[in-house]
Each structure stands twice: as structure tokens, then as C-alpha cells.
């Protein structure tokens, strides 16, 4: 089962990050975070961008950890999963930096 | 023992009685798999006839062929049948029939569960078809959006037929998913490491795992909508704090992964058949496995792209649009691997290859229009037009039907033991290909010209007339093609000459047996040392028939098959499978009575079949196992292994784990719904919140903790052989779970507002009901342990039953704590 766990780890991490961003988006909009000014921006944008960058960093750390998997199919799947997870976290989270918040 | 005597003895053990007795009692995977495939094809034919009626109606503007009421039923049933009664069951049938053969096993892990799933499928499907014949079929579209499907706008039983009939059928899908997962992980030939598995097994494993987590949101949505319709609990009614968008979220949380659940098994067929047709090995085995894992996960992040026009904020649209575009990458990787395989090999243009080429063309076109629709601005223009209808048919027919037709021609000799009659299949292929493209390519254009979906007629001055007429002509050409395919198959079954063994020169294990396949698959099970066993050892079939593999010895009339370590494929233990029984059909009938009682509004009667299902479930578990000590048994090659009752990690434990994963997903979906309503739904906060209840909550929480601990103590005492202590702990666990049930009900009845007033109360009550049900299941498990100790079935070293009871005890405790946290949160936070 370790093979399957390692092969899924990066993708599970993406799923977790995706859920966190979507959940924070719903909560932030419901509780009016975009109208709270903080440090030259609004609370909503700060929270979203910070969460996204943290998640990307977590994804990168997983790639580093995946290199320790046993060689062969297990390492290939672990590494691919981690790289895909990290890249997907970056791409699917990108809207937090470029789109309007709650409209 | 000679090969012939072994064949006769094994057939007597694994076969089914002739006539109706065999029909109702067989649990053999080949029988059940064949039935699934035949029934799915029959439903496909019904769905196809409905499509013909739809196209007849749309062939000309202002047609009076059918009215809007009938037309609504036609397109709803066409979609529902094709998705729930054809595509999923067809792949289940293929998996049930083929998997043990490809994995070098003799059967699936839970033969009675396969049979139960089969009967649920056929009974549930029959309810839907009967409703169609009686003119009361579902008519709100195959995704049953509220409020159209709510009581106010669908007052008849049409929507109930869908909600209850489909949920009944979904029992079969979840059963199959658990069955397939555990079978692939544990029931392989010794030596078959995960990286030596046939690619189809990888595809089916990933698909089954997706089903375990994709179906529960829809099951939950169906339960909630049915409860709203039946009892007025307003989960989806915005006037009372509900939200129609909650239904869409729950539906598409299932609905989008469903597309990949349908595509992946067919892609597995492509990865199996294509290298054989190209006379080479598949290119990029590891990359394909990685791609399908990525595809499986990413497919769960796309569901909102079906809701782009519901007013969701741009940022959320961006998340899902990006994920929708991203999913094309692993899909493309597989396409390139297949093209590379063709490039590397020496392809032969045999009939399965023709269908694979058709698949390439159609599926790639469907994928490209999918990327177009993933872009929000384009989706806003094309949403709910015939462009979407064209896209989804290109993806589903291209991605499922064409590969399955390739697979049908590839494996038909395995099913029938006969060769195909030349040319008829080729003619059918061209009719299907030309008819399909004529029908659906033009539909892109009608969509781009603005023709909406689900309209029963249109005026003649819209410019859609000739396109629709040609589409209808194309659909009838396609229907002729499918009819010709059916005739071709019938001729092969009844008239054709016998096929030789392994007619394609394939290298996977399903071809290492006589054709048609015997009931036991392998006279002895192989040891696998290569990803393509027949390439590495062409004499393997002969040696297996001579009994030179595992489990060649026949003893006690047992149905034996090997279980292996998940990753390494090392010998782990011997599984003794249950034989033919009528329990599955009787349990399915009782289950069906429950659904029928709800359908006809006899709510007072519904508990009776539930009690019957509980009693049958108890009987189901009770008839397994034995009192005697068995110990290690010889398995061949001078090796011995324990039987599954005495070994850790038996299939029953694994099956329970995956069942609880599905169950946990349902609970997660319920908690998501609760949170979603709090954050998004109108008319919140509710007029009345929970005002007290901490004492009841504390009692429930402590009793849940006690129930979990006591079940664990009972389990460990039972395994240690301390029967008196185990029995005592189990009795106390029963008591603790009874206290949980009482405390939860007390909390709900005394402190929660009436569930009909507001979605908050309805959601809270739904969580309480979930907790009560699971405490009751844990209670039954503890009671079962106590009874089995008394009967002598549980003794020192027997871990299976106690470990399963422990799983359910742990889960019930965890669920109760989570539910209490959510129900009491408004009180604590206030």
C-alpha cells in the first residue's frame, strides 16, 4: 500500500490545497474580507495569495521528499505525482492573484 | 490427477446448477459478468430507441410526433439509461468477467456481493423502465436540477422514480467498486507485483477507487431530495434556507468524475488491445499509470465547470476553469503513448483496430471541444446549447462506446469460444462511424447557431432545419450499425466455427485457459514473473492445466484462490470463497421492497423490509467461517499458507475499509452541505437555533468513546483467546452504542427545531439520523462478536470478524464526535 500512498501523495496534496482555496474563498466572501483593508491591500487578497504561496511551497517540499522513494515504478510515480500536484496547485491557484474577488 | 479429472472436479465445485436454480443462486464471476454485459446492452438498446424518438421529433420544425411532456421523459430517460444503466454496468460486467482471468485468480473477492449488486441493478433498472412504459418516467433531465425536480414543479412520482431507482442501482455500483478494488489489491497470481499488473487492472483499480468517493455525494443528494419531496425537509428550498445550488454541487461532485469513471475503463481496453493489434508492448507503462492517477485526482476538481453560468464569482470560476484545462494534459499523455505504441509496432488493421482508430478521431475531437468549453467566456456562449450535446457525445461515445466495441470484438472469442463471421463487423463499424459523425458533428453547428438543449420543437425560420434533418438521418444510420453489430454477435454465438486458443497472440493471462473459459478459470494458479506472462512462458497454459501451479489440489469442495501482498505479489494466504446461494437475490428483493415502499408512499411499511435486510445481512455474515482449527494448508510448490480466517488483512477487512471510505465521503458531503448552506444559502441565519443540549451531547460523546474502546477491548480479548472477557466487553459495547442512540435522539427531539421549518434544522436532523444509524450498525457488530464467541466461531488467532467489528466501532465513534461538533457548534459559539 505504500506504493499507492506515495503515488498519490502529491495529488492528494493538490486536492487538499484546492479545497482550502475554494473553502477560504467561500468563507472570505461570506464574511466580507474584501472590504477589510490591510497593508495596502484587502484581507481577502492577502489571505488567498498567502495561502496559495504556502501551498505551492508545500508542493515543492513534497517533490523533494518524493526523491527518497524506492527506485523503479514507485519512485517514478511518487515524483510524477509530486510534480503534477505542485504544478496543478500553482496553475489552479493562479486566479487568486489575477481575478476579481467575490463578483 | 489427470487434467480432465481435475477439470471435472473443479467444474463441480465452481460451476452453477442448470436451469432457474443456477440463475438465482450463481455467484460465479463469469456468470455475473456476462449477465451485466447482456443487461447493459439491452438497456443500451432501450436508450438507443429513445434517442431515435428524440431525433424523429427534432428532424423537422414544429413536429407533432410527441408533445413536450413525453419529450421531457424521452431525453431524461435517454441520459439516465445511458449513464446509469448502460455505461457503468457495462464496465462492471467487463471487470467482473475479465479481472480474475487477467490477474490469474479464480474469482472476485466477494462473489455474493457481485450477485447482490447484479440483482439490485436489474431490479432498480426494471423500476425505471416500468415507469417509462407506464408514462410516469422521470422528466426533469438526467441531472434532476431543483427546483424543477422539487415537489412544487414535479408533483407526481416521476422524480421519485429517478431518485429511488437510481439510488437502488447505485448500490450495485458501490458494491462493484469495493469488489474490484479489493480483488485487484489482493487476489492476484503469486508474483504479480503491482508493476507487473496488466494495464487494464490499473485502470480498473483507479476507476473503482474513484467510484468509492464519487458516488456517495450523489447518493446523499438523492436521499436529501427524496426526503425533501416526501417529508418537506427544505434542503433545496431557498425560501426556507435551502439552496438549489447545493443539489448542483452534490450532483456534479459525482457527475464530472463520472465522465472519467466511464472513460478510464475504456481507455484501459485501448491500452490492452492496441499493443496486441500493433504486435508490440505498450509504450510508457509507468507514464500511463502516472497519467491515469493524475487524471483521477484532477477530475474531482472540475465539477463547477458545469455551473459556470450560475453566478459563481470570477475567482472560483478561475479555479475550476484552470483545472478543467489542466486535465487535458494527462489525457493527452495517454494518447501520445498509444500513438507511440502504434509507431513502434507493426499494426494490423483488424476489426478491433478499426474501432480504435475511430476512437482516436472522435475522442480527440471531443477532448478539444472540452477544452473550448473549459474556457469560461466560451462556455457562457455555448452553455445549454446543442454544442454541449455534441461535445458530450463525442467524449462519451468516442471515449467509451468505440473502445468497448473494440474490446467486444477482441474478447468475444473468450466469451463464446467461437470465431467471428468476416465482413459484417466491418460494415457495422462504417455505419456507426459515419452515422455518428453525421449526427453529432452537425450538432456543433446547430449549437453554435444558438439551438438550446432539451427543446421539443423549434420554428422553421431559425436556420436549424437542414442541420437537424441530417442529424436525424445520421442517427438512424448509426442505429442500423448497432443493429448490425448485434446481429454479428448473435451469429458468432450461435452459428460460427470454434475459435482457436489465444486467437490474437496476446500475452495476458486471460488467454491462458480453454475457450470458452471454464467456471474456475485456472486448473492451477500461475506464478507470474513478467508483465506479459504468456510472452515470457508460452507453455504456461499447458502447465497450469496439468496442475503445475498453485492450488492444484482439491480439498473439501472448497472454492480456493490465492491472496497476495498488495505491492510485492508475494504469497500471503488462501481465500476460501462462499459457494452458490440465494441470499443475494433474497436480500436484493428485500432491498427493492424498501425502495418500492418509499416510491408508493407507504412509509409506514418501509421499516419492515429494512428489518428483513438487517436479518439477511446477519445471516450473510453468519454463514461464513467455521469452528474447527485449520492451520497452514499446502498450496503447491512445497509451500504452505494460512486460510483467510486465520490471516491478518483478509479481503473482508479490506472491503470494510473501502466501504467506510465511501461512507466517510457521504458524511463529508453532508458536512460540506451543512457548511455550504451556512455560508452561501439565502435566508440565513435561521430564525431558531439550538438553544441547549450540552448534557445530551456529553452523554452521546462519552458513550461513543466508550463504545469504541469497548469494541476494541472485545476484539483484542477475542484474538487473544480470552472468550469470557471478549464476550463481556462486547456486551458492554452493545450497551454503550444503545446509549449513543438514545442520547442523539434525545438531543434532537428535545433541543432541535422542527426539520421542516428551515434547512438548518433539516441538516442538523440529517446528521443526527446519520449518527443514530451508524451507532446502530456498531451495536450490531458488537452483538455479532458476542454471538460468534458463544457459537465458537471466534477463537484464539481468528482476527477477521473482530477486526471488522473494530473498524465499524471506531468509525461510529468518530462520526458521532464529528456530528456532535457540528450540531452543537451554534450553541457553543453563541
Amino acid at each position: 500500500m505504500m506504493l499507492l500512498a506515495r503515488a498519490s501523495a502529491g495529488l492528494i496534496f493538490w486536492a487538499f490545497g484546492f479545497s482550502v482555496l475554494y473553502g477560504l474563498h467561500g468563507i472570505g466572501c461570506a464574511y466580507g474580507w474584501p472590504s477589510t483593508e490591510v497593508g495596502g491591500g484587502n484581507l481577502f487578497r492577502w489571505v488567498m495569495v498567502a495561502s496559495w504561496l504556502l501551498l505551492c511551497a508545500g508542493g515543492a517540499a513534497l517533490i523533494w521528499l518524493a526523491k527518497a522513494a524506492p527506485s523503479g515504478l514507485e519512485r517514478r510515480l511518487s515524483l510524477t505525482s509530486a510534480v503534477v500536484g505542485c504544478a496543478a496547485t500553482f496553475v489552479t491557484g493562479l486566479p487568486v492573484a489575477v481575478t476579481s474577488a467575490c463578483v | 490427477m489427470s487434467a480432465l479429472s481435475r477439470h471435472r472436479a473443479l467444474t463441480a465445485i465452481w460451476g452453477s446448477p442448470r436451469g432457474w436454480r443456477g440463475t438465482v443462486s450463481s455467484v460465479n464471476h463469469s456468470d455475473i459478468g456476462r449477465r451485466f454485459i447482456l443487461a447493459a446492452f439491452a438497456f443500451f438498446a432501450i436508450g438507443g430507441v429513445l434517442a431515435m424518438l428524440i431525433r424523429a421529433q427534432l428532424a423537422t420544425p414544429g413536429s407533432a410526433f410527441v408533445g413536450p411532456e413525453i419529450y421531457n421523459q424521452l431525453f431524461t430517460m435517454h441520459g439516465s439509461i445511458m449513464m446509469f444503466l448502460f455505461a457503468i454496468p457495462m464496465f462492471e460486467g467487463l471487470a467482473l468477467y475479465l479481472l480474475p482471468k487477467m490477474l490469474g485468480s479464480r474469482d472476485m473477492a466477494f462473489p455474493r456481493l457481485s450477485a447482490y449488486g447484479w440483482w439490485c441493478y436489474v431490479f432498480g433498472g426494471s423500476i425505471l423502465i416500468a415507469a417509462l412504459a407506464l408514462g410516469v418516467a422521470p422528466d426533469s433531465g438526467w441531472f434532476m436540477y431543483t427546483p424543477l425536480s422539487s415537489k412544487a414543479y414535479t408533483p407526481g412520482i416521476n422524480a421519485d422514480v429517478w431518485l429511488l431507482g437510481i439510488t437502488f442501482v447505485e448500490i450495485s455500483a458501490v458494491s462493484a467498486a469495493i469488489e474490484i478494488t479489493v480483488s485487484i489489491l489482493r487476489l492476484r497470481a503469486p508474483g504479480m507485483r503491482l508493476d507487473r499488473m496488466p494495464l487494464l487492472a490499473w485502470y480498473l483499480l483507479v476507476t473503482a477507487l474513484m467510484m468509492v468517493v464519487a458516488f456517495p455525494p450523489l447518493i446523499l443528494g438523492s436521499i436529501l431530495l427524496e426526503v425533501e419531496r416526501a417529508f418537506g425537509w427544505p434542503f433545496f428550498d431557498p425560501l426556507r434556507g435551502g439552496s438549489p445550488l447545493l443539489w448542483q454541487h452534490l450532483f456534479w461532485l459525482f457527475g464530472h468524475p463520472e465522465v472519467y469513471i466511464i472513460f478510464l475503463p475504456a481507455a484501459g481496453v485501448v491500452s490492452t488491445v492496441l499493443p496486441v493489434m500493433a504486435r508490440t508492448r505498450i509504450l510508457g507503462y509507468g507514464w500511463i499509470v502516472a497519467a491515469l492517477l493524475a487524471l483521477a485526482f484532477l477530475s474531482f476538481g472540475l465539477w463547477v465547470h458545469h455551473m459556470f453560468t450560475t453566478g459563481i464569482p470570477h475567482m472560483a470560476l478561475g479555479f475550476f476553469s484552470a483545472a478543467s484545462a489542466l486535465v487535458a494534459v494527462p489525457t493527452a499523455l495517454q494518447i501520445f503513448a498509444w500513438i507511440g505504441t502504434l509507431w513502434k509496432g507493426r499494426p494490423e488493421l483488424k476489426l478491433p483496430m478499426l474501432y480504435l482508430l475511430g476512437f482516436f478521431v472522435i475522442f480527440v475531437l471531443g477532448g478539444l471541444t472540452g477544452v473550448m468549453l473549459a474556457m469560461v467566456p466560451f462556455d457562457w456562449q455555448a452553455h445549454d446549447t446543442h454544442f454541449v450535446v455534441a461535445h458530450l457525445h463525442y467524449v462519451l461515445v468516442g471515449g467509451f462506446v468505440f473502445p468497448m466495441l473494440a474490446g467486444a470484438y477482441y474478447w468475444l472469442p473468450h466469451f463464446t469460444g467461437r470465431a467471428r463471421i468476416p465482413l459484417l463487423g466491418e460494415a457495422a463499424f462504417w455505419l456507426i462511424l459515419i452515422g455518428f459523425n453525421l449526427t453529432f458533428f452537425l450538432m456543433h453547428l446547430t449549437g453554435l447557431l444558438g439551438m438550446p438543449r432539451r427543446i421539443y420543437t423549434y420554428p422553421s425560420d431559425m436556420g436549424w432545419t437542414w442541420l437537424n434533418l441530417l442529424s436525424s438521418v445520421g442517427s438512424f444510420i448509426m442505429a442500423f450499425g448497432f443493429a448490425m453489430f448485434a446481429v454479428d454477435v448473435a451469429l458468432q454465438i450461435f452459428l460460427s466455427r470454434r475459435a482457436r486458443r489465444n486467437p490474437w497472440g496476446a500475452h495476458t493471462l486471460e488467454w491462458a485457459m480453454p475457450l470458452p473459459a471454464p467456471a474456475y478459470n485456472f486448473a492451477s494458479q500461475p506464478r507470474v514473473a513478467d508483465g506479459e506472462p504468456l510472452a515470457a512462458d508460452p507453455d504456461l497454459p499447458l502447465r497450469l492445466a496439468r496442475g503445475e501451479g498453485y492450488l492444484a489440489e482439491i480439498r473439501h469442495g472448497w472454492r480456493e484462490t490465492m491472496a497476495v501482498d498488495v505491492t510485492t505479489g508475494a504469497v500471503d494466504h488462501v481465500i476460501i470463497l462462499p459457494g452458490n446461494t440465494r441470499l443475494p437475490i433474497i436480500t436484493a428483493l428485500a432491498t427493492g421492497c424498501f425502495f418500492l415502499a418509499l416510491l408508493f408512499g407507504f412509509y409506514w411499511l418501509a421499516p419492515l423490509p429494512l428489518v428483513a435486510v438487517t436479518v439477511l445481512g446477519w445471516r450473510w455474515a453468519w454463514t461464513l467461517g467455521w469452528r474447527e482449527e485449520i492451520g497452514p494448508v499446502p498450496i503447491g510448490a512445497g509451500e504452505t499458507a494460512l486460510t483467510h480466517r486465520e490471516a491478518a488483512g483478509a479481503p473482508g477487512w479490506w472491503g470494510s475499509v473501502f466501504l467506510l471510505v465511501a461512507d466517510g465521503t457521504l458524511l463529508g458531503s453532508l458536512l460540506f452541505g451543512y457548511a455550504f448552506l451556512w455560508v452561501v444559502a439565502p435566508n440565513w441565519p435561521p430564525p431558531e437555533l439550538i438553544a441547549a443540549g450540552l448534557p445530551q451531547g456529553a452523554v452521546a460523546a462519552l458513550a461513543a468513546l466508550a463504545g469504541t474502546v469497548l469494541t476494541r477491548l472485545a476484539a483484542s480479548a477475542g484474538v487473544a483467546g480470552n472468550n469470557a472477557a471478549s464476550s463481556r466487553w462486547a456486551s458492554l459495547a452493545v450497551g454503550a452504542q444503545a446509549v449513543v442512540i438514545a442520547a442523539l435522539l434525545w438531543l434532537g427531539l428535545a433541543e432541535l427545531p422542527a426539520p421542516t421549518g428551515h434547512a438548518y434544522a433539516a441538516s442538523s436532523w440529517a446528521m443526527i439520523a446519520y449518527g443514530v444509524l451508524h451507532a446502530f450498525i456498531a451495536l450490531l457488530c458488537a452483538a455479532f462478536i458476542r454471538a460468534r464467541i458463544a457459537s465458537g466461531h471466534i477463537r484464539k488467532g481468528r482476527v477477521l470478524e473482530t477486526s471488522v467489528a473494530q473498524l465499524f466501532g471506531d468509525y461510529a465513534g468518530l462520526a458521532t464526535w464529528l456530528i456532535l461538533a457540528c450540531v452543537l457548534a451554534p450553541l457553543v459559539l453563541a
Side-chain angles (χ1 to χ4, degrees):
Chain A
M1 283 303 279
M2 275 310 288
L3 187 150
L4 290 177
R6 285 200 177 102
S8 310
L11 294 159
I12 290 172
F13 183 79
W14 166 77
F16 165 76
F18 192 76
S19 309
V20 166
L21 289 180
Y22 188 47
L24 279 176
H25 175 268
I27 292 168
C29 288
Y31 291 97
W33 293 355
S35 52
T36 309
E37 293 297 321
V38 179
N42 64 63
L43 177 64
F44 184 83
R45 190 72 69 182
W46 280 118
V47 169
M48 296 303 289
V49 172
S51 307
W52 173 51
L53 292 176
L54 268 177
L55 288 165
C56 288
L62 265 184
I63 297 176
W64 186 72
L65 287 173
K67 286 194 284 190
S71 60
L73 182 69
E74 192 160 351
R75 184 177 299 167
R76 180 188 293 186
L77 292 182
S78 308
L79 265 173
T80 312
S81 163
V83 170
V84 171
C86 186
T89 304
F90 176 78
V91 173
T92 56
L94 200 55
V96 301
V98 294
T99 61
S100 58
C102 299
V103 289
Chain B
M1 184 183 267
S2 72
L4 187 59
S5 329
R6 182 172 291 105
H7 166 73
R8 285 181 180 146
L10 284 167
T11 302
I13 292 170
W14 290 85
S16 308
R18 288 182 177 278
W20 67 270
R21 283 190 177 81
T23 304
V24 298
S25 67
S26 175
V27 296
N28 184 279
H29 76 101
S30 294
D31 288 345
I32 304 296
R34 272 191 293 258
R35 287 181 199 175
F36 261 108
I37 291 170
L38 285 174
F41 193 78
F43 284 120
F44 176 71
I46 296 171
V49 169
L50 298 182
M52 296 299 95
L53 298 177
I54 292 170
R55 287 313 320 170
Q57 169 68 15
L58 294 180
T60 53
S63 171
F65 180 59
V66 293
E69 292 81 11
I70 296 297
Y71 187 79
N72 289 347
Q73 294 188 25
L74 292 180
F75 71 71
T76 301
M77 284 300 288
H78 168 71
S80 303
I81 287 174
M82 291 306 196
M83 297 301 262
F84 296 105
L85 302 184
F86 162 62
I88 298 286
M90 180 60 86
F91 116 71
E92 287 169 19
L94 190 77
L96 289 176
Y97 179 85
L98 270 183
L99 258 182
K101 298 175 175 72
M102 294 188 95
L103 297 174
S105 177
R106 282 177 171 160
D107 208 323
M108 300 292 281
F110 310 112
R112 297 181 305 172
L113 190 63
S114 306
Y116 175 65
W118 152 252
W119 291 113
C120 286
Y121 161 56
V122 81
F123 292 156
S126 303
I127 290 174
L128 284 157
I129 300 302
L132 180 66
L134 296 171
V136 288
D139 55 1
S140 312
W142 83 276
F143 30 71
M144 294 290 289
Y145 278 174
T146 57
L148 181 59
S149 57
S150 300
K151 200 74 176 175
Y153 300 100
T154 307
I157 65 165
N158 309 57
D160 303 307
V161 169
W162 193 97
L163 295 168
L164 295 167
I166 294 295
T167 304
F168 193 9
V169 171
E170 279 160 6
I171 292 175
S172 124
V174 176
S175 305
I178 293 169
E179 170 95 284
I180 290 168
T181 305
V182 178
S183 300
I184 294 173
L185 291 179
R186 300 294 272 163
L187 271 71
R188 308 195 300 268
M192 187 181 277
R193 301 188 315 231
L194 277 180
D195 59 352
R196 287 178 184 157
M197 274 203 316
L199 266 176
L200 182 60
W202 271 108
Y203 278 94
L204 291 173
L205 174 63
V206 171
T207 306
L209 287 169
M210 288 176 72
M211 287 169 74
V212 166
V213 287
F215 275 77
L218 178 62
I219 294 173
L220 174 74
S222 301
I223 293 169
L224 298 185
L225 183 51
E226 186 55 31
V227 169
E228 178 180 290
R229 288 177 54 83
F231 305 114
W233 295 22
F235 299 104
F236 309 107
D237 177 4
L239 293 177
R240 290 180 287 163
S243 170
L245 282 186
L246 175 60
W247 169 264
Q248 294 199 27
H249 278 293
L250 291 175
F251 184 88
W252 290 116
L253 264 167
F254 147 82
H256 200 81
E258 159 87 344
V259 174
Y260 293 88
I261 287 168
I262 289 172
F263 166 62
L264 284 180
V269 171
V270 176
S271 290
T272 307
V273 177
L274 188 126
V276 178
M277 294 295 118
R279 292 179 284 180
T280 185
R281 287 194 175 213
I282 189 86
L283 187 72
Y285 178 101
W287 289 110
I288 291 179
V289 174
L292 73 98
L293 282 170
L295 197 65
F297 276 90
L298 291 173
S299 73
F300 280 89
L302 319 183
W303 82 91
V304 170
H305 80 209
H306 296 272
M307 303 163 63
F308 276 168
T309 58
T310 55
I312 288 172
H314 288 177
M315 188 178 285
L317 293 183
F319 297 153
F320 291 95
S321 179
S324 304
L326 210 54
V327 80
V329 177
T331 313
L333 197 145
Q334 291 174 81
I335 302 268
F336 290 129
W338 293 326
I339 292 171
T341 305
L342 285 176
W343 190 266
K344 187 178 77 158
R346 293 173 295 123
E348 293 180 293
L349 203 58
K350 293 180 176 170
L351 187 52
M353 190 67 213
L354 270 184
Y355 276 106
L356 292 184
L357 292 177
F359 150 77
F360 274 115
V361 174
I362 294 172
F363 183 72
V364 169
L365 281 172
L368 291 176
T369 53
V371 176
M372 291 165 72
L373 286 166
M375 301 302 114
V376 177
F378 182 83
D379 184 81
W380 280 353
Q381 299 303 314
H383 184 80
D384 259 351
T385 68
H386 267 73
F387 187 89
V388 176
V389 180
H391 157 70
L392 75 91
H393 281 88
Y394 263 79
V395 170
L396 291 174
V397 177
F400 184 76
V401 177
F402 273 77
M404 292 308 257
L405 288 169
Y409 278 113
Y410 178 76
W411 280 297
L412 260 172
H414 204 287
F415 285 84
T416 63
R418 292 175 186 273
R420 174 173 85 77
I421 291 173
L423 295 180
L424 201 53
E426 280 81 355
F429 165 77
W430 287 110
L431 285 176
I432 293 170
L433 185 78
I434 293 167
F436 174 83
N437 282 292
L438 191 58
T439 308
F440 293 105
F441 188 81
L442 298 181
M443 227 177 260
H444 290 108
L445 306 181
T446 41
L448 290 175
L449 288 171
M451 181 170 171
R453 303 169 71 175
R454 306 187 204 93
I455 53 166
Y456 81 102
T457 190
Y458 53 92
S460 58
D461 56 357
M462 297 300 292
W464 307 333
T465 305
W466 68 273
L467 289 169
N468 270 301
L469 181 63
L470 284 177
S471 273
S472 296
V473 170
S475 71
F476 279 85
I477 293 173
M478 183 167 43
F480 281 122
F482 282 115
M484 201 174 275
F485 165 78
V487 170
D488 192 21
V489 172
L491 288 175
Q492 177 165 337
I493 293 171
F494 297 111
L495 291 179
S496 201
R497 64 186 164 79
R498 293 194 69 80
R500 62 189 165 86
R501 267 196 189 198
N502 197 359
W504 308 104
H507 298 145
T508 38
L509 281 174
E510 80 272 25
W511 299 104
M513 60 186 66
L515 301 184
Y520 53 85
N521 292 343
F522 301 96
S524 60
Q525 287 186 254
R527 168 164 278 283
V528 173
D530 189 272
E532 297 196 347
L534 294 189
D537 182 3
D539 292 333
L540 184 67
L542 199 61
R543 291 197 292 103
L544 295 180
R546 284 203 300 251
E548 293 174 16
Y550 288 99
L551 298 180
E553 184 190 334
I554 294 160
R555 55 193 154 214
H556 313 308
W558 285 347
R559 294 187 175 193
E560 296 179 355
T561 193
M562 294 300 305
V564 298
D565 177 78
V566 172
T567 308
T568 64
V571 168
D572 199 284
H573 59 265
V574 177
I575 298 169
I576 301 167
L577 295 168
N580 296 326
T581 167
R582 286 177 213 161
L583 261 178
I585 188 173
I586 295 169
T587 311
L589 278 171
T591 314
C593 288
F594 170 70
F595 283 105
L596 285 175
L598 295 182
L599 183 60
F600 292 115
F602 299 138
Y603 301 116
W604 56 271
L605 195 63
L608 270 181
L610 271 189
V611 171
V613 169
T614 308
V615 171
L616 288 163
W618 183 285
R619 171 89 188 141
W620 190 294
W622 191 269
T623 49
L624 296 174
W626 46 85
R627 295 182 178 85
E628 302 77 25
E629 187 84 36
I630 293 176
V633 292
I635 56 173
E639 297 176 48
T640 59
L642 289 170
T643 57
H644 72 280
R645 294 246 147 208
E646 293 164 2
W653 185 85
W654 282 90
S656 303
V657 168
F658 289 109
L659 176 63
L660 289 176
V661 170
D663 201 358
T665 311
L666 191 134
L667 176 60
S669 306
L670 182 57
L671 301 183
F672 161 78
Y674 182 62
F676 177 85
L677 292 175
W678 267 104
V679 175
V680 174
N683 293 317
W684 282 69
E688 192 183 357
L689 286 170
I690 190 168
L694 286 179
Q696 298 96 316
V699 171
L702 290 174
L705 182 64
T708 302
V709 172
L710 290 165
T711 308
R712 280 182 161 265
L713 288 172
S716 38
V719 174
N722 189 348
N723 286 354
S726 181
S727 184
R728 196 165 54 244
W729 294 127
S731 302
L732 288 170
V734 169
Q737 297 297 355
V739 173
V740 174
I741 294 169
L744 285 175
L745 288 175
W746 179 26
L747 173 66
L749 290 168
E751 309 299 349
L752 277 176
T756 51
H758 194 273
Y760 155 74
S763 312
S764 301
W765 266 106
M767 288 187 280
I768 294 276
Y770 184 94
V772 168
L773 174 66
H774 285 77
F776 181 66
I777 293 170
L779 182 154
L780 285 177
C781 288
F784 188 78
I785 292 302
R786 197 187 180 290
R788 293 291 269 189
I789 288 167
S791 67
H793 284 87
I794 291 179
R795 46 199 297 171
K796 190 172 182 179
R798 300 256 176 110
V799 295
L800 177 57
E801 289 170 355
T802 50
S803 61
V804 170
Q806 187 177 312
L807 274 177
F808 281 92
D810 288 352
Y811 182 79
L814 182 66
T816 305
W817 276 70
L818 273 174
I819 285 165
L820 285 171
C822 291
V823 171
L824 295 174
L827 177 63
V828 175
L829 294 175

